[in-house]
Amino acid sequence: MIYHTNNNMQIAHTAAEMRGQLQALRGHKSIAFVPTMGCLHQGHISLIEKAKSLADIVVVSLYVNPLQFAPSEDLEQYPRPFEADARLCADAGVDFLFHPASLYPESGCKVTLKVTTLHDCLCGTSRPDHFDGVVTAVNVLFNIVQPNIAIFGEKDWQQLSIIRHMVNDLSMPIEIVGAAIVREPDGLAMSSRNRYLNNHERQQALAISQALIAMQQQAENGEHDVKALRNTARNILEKNAITAQYIEIRNATSLEEIDTLDHHNNQNSRAFIAAHVGAARLIDNMPIHSMPQEQQP
Ligand code: AMP
């Protein structure tokens, strides 16, 4: 991969600095924004590359958002390798890096956003306040950066779906663009939390993408029954000593549950898995073709 090092990358540590740096560009340069929690990997870099292809200016934020972590979760442990992240961003050609100490008032946040759709399933079941925290942070970031376009990974499919609703419902003039999941060569979805895995757990974690692929293949071979597909995935995970938090097949847009695949209509279905492996909570998803590939329109 060829990167275009941007030696002129500017770093802002406060909202005022970020606004000031972008001020002169507004109106005549298009701005694409990639919000992240840092600890960057090739998945994040692919979002940056997409941003570069879509706009004149690329802004990346690095911020581990406390509002989206429950007290029992890994807020404190979450890796924050700022120097390495800044180098990766410069090497990827990022123009502005926003690295705030906090996004909220010192006295705490008295106004937050509440998600009322797509939030009470999949990750929302075990993380009930998570998406409220995500949209509140993304909203603050959007208000500071005021991008034309923002890029989010399909790795966090539910998050991407909720952000699309947020922008629509709150009438934000921002185009939301999804980016495909980037995987390790063996299939494991890249994640900052993969760093928590030891060698054995890294091997175990591979079962997550293998289980998704097995469901995909079984569906393509004609299995209609979602229960049967989920059992296939569960068996693969259990053989690798992984107990899934959820294994589900849902409509990719509405996130409604699907019981039976319709092999005569293209259903836009997607399979989702979340599982704890060692100290890491990992998520992944893949499309499920409800029609055999050769019959698809
Ligand atoms: P995070 O730093 O985990 O909050 O992720 C920041 C953005 O990168 C989110 O939009 C994620 O969906 C996206 N992302 C994380 N991992 C991947 C991946 N493996 N492939 C594509 N996008 C990803």
Side-chain angles (χ1 to χ4, degrees), residues 184-198:
E184 300 288 353
D186 63 6
L188 178 70
M190 288 193 184
S191 165
S192 306
R193 290 188 168 98
N194 290 350
R195 287 212 183 177
Y196 298 153
L197 305 171
N198 64 28

Side-chain angles (χ1 to χ4, degrees), residues 261-294:
L261 297 182
D262 181 349
H263 278 180
H264 302 292
N265 292 299
N266 215 347
Q267 244 172 337
N268 188 26
S269 333
R270 215 160 172 100
F272 300 87
I273 293 181
H276 287 277
V277 182
R281 181 179 178 279
L282 303 178
I283 58 172
D284 197 355
N285 65 83
M286 285 186 196
I288 295 287
H289 303 292
S290 52
M291 283 176 89
Q293 292 274 349
E294 64 274 13

Side-chain angles (χ1 to χ4, degrees), residues 35-38 41 43-44 47 78 152-153 155-156 159 180-182 190:
T36 81
M37 296 208 299
H41 49 67
H44 298 109
L47 270 54
Y78 202 87
F152 291 84
K155 161 96 172 10
D156 299 272
Q159 168 176 284
I181 300 176
V182 177
M190 288 193 184

